[in-house]
Amino acid sequence: MKLEIGFFPKYYYSKDPDAGGLFPFGMEETPSYVFSMHNFYLPKCNSNFVPSLMENIQAFPLYFCAQLSNFWKKEYEKQCQKSDVKFKYLYQEENRLITVAAVENMSQLKAIFPLYISMGSSNDLVMWSTNKDIYSVEERDWKGNLEGKRAIVPVVKFDKKVSLYWIGYDGDSIFGLSNNDAFSTYKNICESLPHFVKPALCEIYNKYEESDDD
């Protein structure tokens, strides 16, 4: 499995939610390191990629936060119950739900992650934190495509050990956000990847700067 890894400079993101940008959720403070793993399509990549990665970095328990429509609600609750995954709703309105689920082990992850992939690839918000529940909800002003709108959004709070992963738009990337120095360099991240992954460094800064100059 091939993928590219790149780091984002801090000015590409902020603690305010950015619809269509980085990131569609709020933060109390921005993390030290933000990187993407991309150039693959999550629904069709090796199904052991994320489970093996989480095992390698000793990430369990995982806490998945999803913002979904009523379209997914029945299947989500059914899959959680079938997989013995405990979940709660942080916020509910007419056709928007914000939920957190605790995935405690590998068997639960392998059972429920395909559903999260389907949600994230459909551009519903799916993210997960390592070892700790870091989520709350808060009313925030949107940036990006929803500029000027104010709404209740998921908000994350980082500490030194907890990392966050978010399924990128259309399911063709996974972003990592962390204050942990284990994710401070390309080399460090590569050491955590499953053995079947062949990574390449992508110079995000150069790539985006060149695009802006066009």
Side-chain angles (χ1 to χ4, degrees):
M1 175 182 167
K2 296 181 179 180
L3 56 76
E4 294 184 354
I5 297 171
F7 285 86
F8 281 80
K10 279 186 172 290
Y11 59 82
Y12 280 111
Y13 54 91
S14 74
K15 62 183 182 180
D16 298 315
D18 187 344
L22 302 180
F23 290 94
F25 52 87
M27 309 180 210
E28 290 198 9
E29 296 294 339
T30 57
S32 299
Y33 312 111
V34 171
F35 62 92
S36 67
M37 298 180 287
H38 55 274
N39 203 23
F40 65 93
Y41 185 48
L42 191 55
K44 293 188 177 181
C45 78
N46 190 315
S47 61
N48 288 316
F49 169 50
V50 170
S52 296
L53 175 60
M54 295 300 104
E55 184 175 49
N56 289 351
I57 64 173
Q58 300 180 332
F60 292 96
L62 305 173
Y63 293 88
F64 278 82
C65 181
Q67 179 175 273
L68 49 115
S69 66
N70 285 333
F71 173 83
W72 295 107
K73 186 179 186 218
K74 185 176 181 180
E75 181 62 24
Y76 170 74
E77 293 179 348
K78 178 182 176 181
Q79 190 60 58
C80 284
Q81 292 164 1
K82 181 179 178 181
S83 307
D84 197 27
V85 169
K86 296 178 181 178
F87 68 95
K88 61 184 178 182
Y89 288 110
L90 298 184
Y91 180 75
Q92 299 185 61
E93 62 180 26
E94 184 176 355
N95 193 36
R96 189 169 69 98
L97 311 166
I98 300 174
T99 176
V100 174
V103 176
E104 298 179 355
N105 55 54
M106 183 64 75
S107 62
Q108 288 180 338
L109 179 60
K110 288 186 174 182
I112 201 168
F113 194 58
L115 178 60
Y116 281 125
I117 290 176
S118 296
M119 292 176 178
S121 300
S122 301
N123 289 333
D124 283 300
L125 171 64
V126 174
M127 55 185 169
W128 66 96
S129 57
T130 61
N131 308 121
K132 185 177 179 181
D133 182 349
I134 62 171
Y135 308 105
S136 62
V137 292
E138 189 177 304
E139 191 172 36
R140 290 281 189 97
D141 292 318
W142 278 97
K143 297 169 58 179
N145 296 337
L146 296 177
E147 185 84 37
K149 182 178 180 181
R150 188 170 177 84
I152 297 292
V153 300
V155 175
V156 300
K157 181 180 181 180
F158 293 98
D159 63 24
K160 187 65 177 176
K161 295 182 179 180
V162 175
S163 299
L164 182 79
Y165 292 86
W166 167 61
I167 296 178
Y169 301 111
D170 301 322
D172 58 7
S173 61
I174 294 177
F175 282 74
L177 301 85
S178 185
N179 285 327
N180 192 328
D181 291 340
F183 302 97
S184 62
T185 68
Y186 171 73
K187 180 181 178 182
N188 287 351
I189 294 172
C190 288
E191 289 174 351
S192 69
L193 296 174
H195 67 88
F196 53 81
V197 174
K198 297 180 179 180
L201 178 62
C202 175
E203 296 289 351
I204 295 288
Y205 177 81
N206 292 337
K207 178 181 177 181
Y208 277 68
E209 288 297 305
E210 290 171 1
S211 176
D212 289 344
D213 290 340
D214 291 343

